Structure formats: C-alpha cells, structure tokens
Amino acid sequence: MADAAASSTTAPSTRRRPSLADRGLDGVTLLLLPAALFIVLLFVYPFLYGLVLSFMPKEGGWLGNYTRFFSDPYMYGTIWLTVRLALPVTVLNIALSVPIAMQVRHMTRQRLLTTILVLPITLGTVLVAEGLLNYLGPQGWLNRTLILFGLIDRPIRLVHNYWGVFISLVITGFPFTFLLTLSMISGIDPALEQAAATLGARARHRFAHIVFPLIVPGLAVTFCLAFVDAFSVFPSAVMLGAPAGETRVISFAAAQAAFEQYDYSYASAIAMIMALVQFGFVGLVLGLRGLFYKGPVGGGKG
Amino acid sequence: MNMDNVLEKLWKTAVWAFVILFVVNVVAMIATVVVNSFGTRWLNSWLPVAFTFRWYAAAWKEFQLGDVLTVTFQIAGAVVVLSALFGVPAAYALARRDFPGKPLVMVLFLLPLLVPPITFGVPLATVLYKVGLAGTMWGVIIANLVPTLPFTVILMIPFIEQIDPKVEAAARVFGAGTGRLFFHVLVPLLLPGLLAASLLAMVRTVSMFELTFLTAGPSSQTLVVALYYSVFAAGVRAGQSIDAMAVIYMMSTLIWLIIALRFVNPTQIVARVKKSPA
C-alpha cells in the first residue's frame, strides 16, 4: 500500500483522483493518535508526575522520602520480604512449566487443559485467595486429605503466613508461565527434533541440545514477566498472608502510605522504588539473555 | 538402553501426575467456595451439615449486590465500548502502515500490559485524585482503560492483518466511501476478533482488582473490590455469605470467558499466538 501511495504521486495519470487517496492514506496513520494520546496522558504522564512528586516530600529535602524509606527497617525490609516470595515462586513456576509444556504439546485434547488452567488467571487473585482461605484452612479439604492418607498427624498451618501467599502465587502464576511456555515450545519446528531423533538422540538429549537453547531467550522474557507480576503481589498477601509480618509486601506498604496516611508523595516514592526493583531485575535478566542464541526457530529448509 | 526407557516413562508419569494434582487442587479450591456458599454449618466434616440457598439472599441484601453488580457492568460496559472505539482504529493503523517510530508506539502500547497495575496504579490514582476524578465511576473507567485499551489494540492487530488489503481496494474500486468500507466490509470481517477482544476486555475489567481498588470510591466499587473488603473485614459477616458473593462474582466473570473461548484459544489470553487460525 505504501508503494501504491508513492507511485500514485509520481504517476498522476491514474483514473482515480490521487489527492483523495493520498489524504486517505495519511489519515490511516492518524487513527493511531487518540489511543496513543490516551496512553501518554494516563500512563506516561502519571508515571513522570509520580516521579517528580516523590522528590517533593511533605518534610525534609528533595530526597526526604527515599531517606525515610531506606532508614526504616520496617519499610526497606518490604523489598526483601517481597523478593523472598516472588523469586522462589517464579523459579518454581518456570521449572514446572517447561517439562509440562514439553509433554502437553503432543496432547490431543490440549484445549481442555488450557481452559482449566486459564480459570485461575481469569478469576483473579482475590477469588483465589478467598478460595484458598477455606481450602488450605485447618479444616479444609487439603489438610483433611493429607490426614486421611496419614501424611500428617494434625493440620499444618498454611494460611495467614508465608506459605499461603506462596501457594496462591503458584496457583495464579503457574498457568501464566505455562501458557506462555507452551505457545513458545509449540512454535518450534517439530522437524528439528525429528531429525535429531532419527539420528538417535534420546528425549532428554533432544531437549538439552535442541529445544532448550531455542527457548532460552523466550524463557528469559517469561521469567521477567512472571517475576514482575509476582513482585507486585497485593490482595493475596493481605488476605492469605500476615500483612503486618512475614508477608508485608512492598505494594501493601505503598497502598498504606496512600490510603492510611494520605501521603501521596511518600506512596509515589514507594511505587517508584518498586518500579526500580522491577526494571532493574528485567534489565539484569535481559542482559544475561544476550549471551544466548537469538534467531529463527524454524527448520533449515524454508 | 532399557534403563533409559524406564526412566523416560517414570519422568512422563511424574509430569502428568503433577498436572493432575494441580488441576485437582484448582478445581477443589473453586468447589470449596461453591459448597460453602450452599452449606448451613460446616465445621469438622468433609461436607456441610445441610444445604440451603439462604446465604445468597443474605449476601444480596447485606452487600447490596444489586447496586454493586449494576456499577460493575456499567463500568465494564463503558470500558469495553471505549477500548473498542479507540483501540480498533489504532490497531488498524498499526496493522496496515509502516511509519518511522512504529516500534516506539508498540512499546507505548505494550508497557501498560507489562508493568503491573499496582506499580502504575499508585501514581495514576494520585493524578486522578488531583483532578477530582478518583472516587467516581469515570475515574474507575479511565483507570481500567489504561491496560485494556492497549490489550484491545494488541489483540486486534493479527485479526486485521488477516484481512487482505485487496478486499478493501476492491471495495474502493467499486466506489465505496470510507464509511461504507468500514461498516460493510471491515466490521463484518472483523466481527469475530472484535467480539473476542470485547469479551476478554470485559473479563479483565470485571476481575481487575488493583486499579479499581486504588481509584474507586464507596459508590463506584466493582464486585471484586467489594469482595476484597468483605474478606478483609471478615468476622463481621458470615463466611458463607462472603462465599455466596464470591460465587456470584465467579459467574459474572466466567460467563464472558466461556463465550470468549468460542472465538479464541486460551493461550491467546496470555500470549499472542503466531499460528493463524485456519
């Protein structure tokens, strides 16, 4: 279409009026403007506004909010408490997703499984937390089943502590990493593996030498997305965890500053610190990714 | 060689065992909520003593679910319509044109999807409070549009790319104006994609907790936020009526998901799948 535009201006001998066509073509790109403007106004601008606001604390110098955050162990401790939740969960979810996706891609009724897995994502963290409160509770079905099979003597405590939040993050996070990994692995040309199989490579060698190197870049991106998502855990940490203690996550600290102390400047500073940790992590992972293979995942013959 | 075969079988079994375990736990977790919402008393046993519908009536009255549901669907409806109105033209431009700065625009649309809502929600809510929109329905609608509009754009691009530009050129040759081209050619061809995008936008808005939580006032709460507050203040209300509310919430999300899944693959909800549907 771009060629047509160029040719119609250089060769005005065509039957239709070129000026109209040209204007129409320019107009198409302009269709982008309202949406782009909206995002700039309500995503980019608030972020910059928050950044500026965070340097204008209620009291103290321009770094007041940040020194306040980093001098209070109850506040800067939230970073560690959140990382302690988010990092193991993310590693576990990825470690589970890859072998399962390797098996599921050959499954005939794949859609049924993916539909069930998309349920926790759709229902959202609030509902998952509410369900787990009953399910993992001392009288819940999980503890009952474990006692029935004689695996434990008395109910184990899984709610209002670290493990409740951990489990909820696996329930909502695993389907997300799994579906991303599945779409990635399904994109690899099966001919590559068939060729290796013909030459006598066993499944684990085919995985280690063919599939894994091909998915590492995509896996790194999935890892980033999953970590950033887990790092911003909020409702389940409050509902299923101990928001005053071991699951006092950074997003809860930010919400508290905004809605309980009405200190938007401090809340913005905490949000900026949160974003900084997230971007820093993504930068680190993507930097490491540069060391691996990048290129087509299709077969040799096009 | 034989040892290898045994190990591979064992490995396969272990993987499938985990899949089944995970699915069973997810289903059991959802079932707990449903069973509890119908139970009379449920202490120290596998199932409640007896079953009843009264928690639904109680929840409907206690939590003013009629009002909350109305607000929820007004907000979700507005978000869906507005994101289609702004998103489809933008997706059309991105699918059909190559222009300098296109990668930058793509990043602009991807960022609100990748940055977690709570991270940009705090500054966004601050701005909305400053202009006096927070606490109102419009504040919640605008906040929810921030991730939903780019979501619609990104989801619609492949649907538009599938339409051959020659079809549009043919319509032009036969004298269709922009309006006729849009309503008689593009909209009918885009209908499945448009429907899928709208339904998924609906699901996302109904289940979006963080942004609504940060921007809603008492009269602009959606169902998921009301559910959060009722759990947060647990002890005041009976657990069963909270679960009755949770079941109503599940219904209000899952209906749209079930319809949406007729048009899209579940993997498309989290990832943009390259395989084009035949």
Side-chain angles (χ1 to χ4, degrees):
Chain A
M1 286 301 270
D3 296 345
S7 64
S8 66
T9 46
T10 48
S13 60
T14 42
R15 251 168 263 156
R16 62 201 164 96
R17 281 167 294 173
S19 62
L20 247 182
D22 283 353
R23 221 187 303 155
L25 289 170
D26 291 342
V28 170
T29 316
L30 287 180
L31 289 173
L32 198 63
L33 271 184
L37 217 61
F38 181 86
I39 299 301
V40 169
L41 215 63
L42 286 148
F43 180 79
V44 180
Y45 170 72
F47 224 99
L48 297 178
Y49 179 83
L51 187 66
V52 173
L53 188 70
S54 75
F55 288 113
M56 296 191 289
K58 277 186 172 172
E59 53 208 48
W62 62 283
L63 273 173
N65 282 324
Y66 293 92
T67 50
R68 187 174 152 202
F69 185 90
F70 286 107
S71 59
D72 183 356
Y74 193 55
M75 296 307 291
Y76 71 73
T78 58
I79 297 181
W80 165 240
L81 287 178
T82 320
V83 169
R84 204 177 65 131
L85 261 172
L87 199 58
V89 164
T90 312
V91 171
L92 179 73
N93 284 340
I94 299 262
L96 289 172
S97 295
V98 176
I100 294 172
M102 288 296 289
Q103 299 290 333
V104 167
R105 70 191 162 136
H106 300 306
M107 190 179 166
T108 41
R109 305 208 50 180
Q110 203 185 84
R111 191 157 174 154
L112 180 70
L113 180 69
T114 46
T115 305
I116 294 174
L117 286 181
V118 92
L119 279 184
I121 302 178
T122 312
L123 291 173
T125 40
V126 174
L127 188 105
V128 169
E130 166 64 9
L132 288 178
L133 268 180
N134 295 326
Y135 181 64
L136 300 178
Q139 291 299 329
W141 281 344
L142 185 73
N143 268 314
R144 286 187 165 277
T145 311
L146 291 178
I147 291 172
L148 185 77
F149 286 115
L151 293 171
I152 50 172
D153 304 326
R154 70 184 74 166
I156 37 172
R157 211 183 123 170
L158 291 171
V159 289
H160 299 304
N161 63 7
Y162 176 83
W163 291 107
V165 186
F166 187 93
I167 294 170
S168 86
L169 283 175
V170 173
I171 298 255
T172 50
F174 168 71
F176 178 77
T177 52
F178 170 75
L179 291 174
L180 278 177
T181 314
L182 181 65
S183 73
M184 225 154 56
I185 288 184
S186 309
I188 296 175
D189 191 341
L192 290 176
E193 263 198 280
Q194 279 157 14
T198 314
L199 296 172
R202 303 203 63 89
R204 62 190 145 88
H205 296 128
R206 294 200 300 266
F207 174 75
H209 296 293
I210 295 170
V211 179
F212 189 68
L214 286 176
I215 60 170
V216 163
L219 223 48
V221 174
T222 310
F223 190 69
C224 290
L225 291 178
F227 176 82
V228 162
D229 202 52
F231 190 80
S232 62
V233 53
F234 178 53
S236 61
V238 177
M239 293 159 74
L240 268 173
E246 56 180 336
T247 67
R248 192 182 140 83
V249 293
I250 189 164
S251 53
F252 181 66
Q256 251 186 340
F259 294 115
E260 285 172 30
Q261 299 159 13
Y262 296 103
D263 190 343
Y264 291 111
S265 162
Y266 193 35
S268 296
I270 300 174
M272 292 305 140
I273 292 167
M274 194 156 87
L276 203 69
V277 174
Q278 287 165 344
F279 288 141
F281 184 85
V282 170
L284 190 74
V285 171
L286 293 187
L288 288 174
R289 186 182 80 149
L291 305 173
F292 287 92
Y293 168 82
K294 264 184 282 186
V297 291
K301 283 189 232 169
Chain B
M1 203 61 182
N2 212 359
M3 191 61 196
D4 272 353
N5 279 334
V6 172
L7 278 178
E8 268 176 32
K9 281 256 164 60
L10 266 176
W11 173 248
K12 240 181 197 169
T13 318
V15 166
W16 284 114
F18 177 81
V19 173
I20 292 167
L21 191 76
F22 188 87
V23 169
V24 164
N25 275 288
V26 167
V27 172
M29 177 205 84
I30 294 170
T32 314
V33 176
V34 178
V35 170
N36 195 32
S37 75
F38 286 112
T40 48
R41 258 167 58 86
W42 189 4
L43 299 158
N44 268 318
S45 57
W46 284 92
L47 284 173
V49 181
F51 292 95
T52 170
F53 275 105
R54 76 184 156 94
W55 298 115
Y56 284 84
W60 194 270
K61 235 173 58 193
E62 272 176 59
F63 302 116
Q64 283 127 18
L65 285 189
D67 293 344
V68 174
L69 274 173
T70 315
V71 169
T72 305
F73 285 113
Q74 277 171 345
I75 289 172
V79 169
V80 166
V81 171
L82 288 173
S83 50
L85 225 57
F86 291 110
V88 175
Y92 185 82
L94 284 170
R96 287 285 190 253
R97 290 287 174 278
D98 268 322
F99 51 90
K102 189 173 166 183
L104 199 75
V105 176
M106 283 305 281
V107 169
L108 185 69
F109 283 126
L110 278 171
L111 269 180
L113 293 174
L114 302 183
V115 177
I118 198 97
T119 312
F120 68 80
V122 173
L124 175 62
T126 309
V127 168
L128 289 177
Y129 271 105
K130 203 177 131 235
V131 296
L133 273 170
T136 67
M137 292 252 288
W138 278 108
V140 178
I141 292 169
I142 288 173
N144 271 291
L145 272 172
V146 174
T148 312
L149 175 61
F151 176 78
T152 308
V153 173
I154 302 289
L155 200 82
M156 286 309 290
I157 291 175
F159 282 103
I160 292 168
E161 279 171 347
Q162 275 171 27
I163 299 176
D164 196 331
K166 285 178 197 142
V167 175
E168 286 166 55
R172 287 268 189 218
V173 168
F174 287 112
T178 307
R180 287 191 57 159
L181 174 73
F182 185 73
F183 285 107
H184 292 271
V185 179
L186 283 181
V187 167
L189 283 172
L190 279 180
L191 209 57
L194 200 59
L195 221 54
S198 301
L199 287 163
L200 291 179
M202 188 86 176
V203 171
R204 283 177 72 100
T205 312
V206 173
S207 63
M208 167 54 75
F209 170 75
E210 285 90 348
L211 290 175
T212 313
F213 171 77
L214 290 171
T215 52
S219 61
S220 51
Q221 269 178 25
T222 61
L223 196 50
V224 69
V225 175
L227 180 66
Y228 170 82
Y229 279 122
S230 71
V231 179
F232 197 60
V236 189
R237 316 270 190 215
Q240 292 96 324
S241 69
I242 295 174
D243 276 338
M245 182 170 166
V247 171
I248 295 173
Y249 162 72
M250 269 198 263
M251 295 299 153
S252 65
T253 347
L254 292 186
I255 290 176
W256 311 107
L257 178 71
I258 290 164
I259 307 174
L261 285 179
R262 301 187 68 90
F263 302 97
V264 289
N265 194 301
T267 35
Q268 270 177 295
I269 295 172
V270 295
R272 187 180 154 190
V273 185
K274 296 245 170 62
K275 281 184 287 183
S276 58

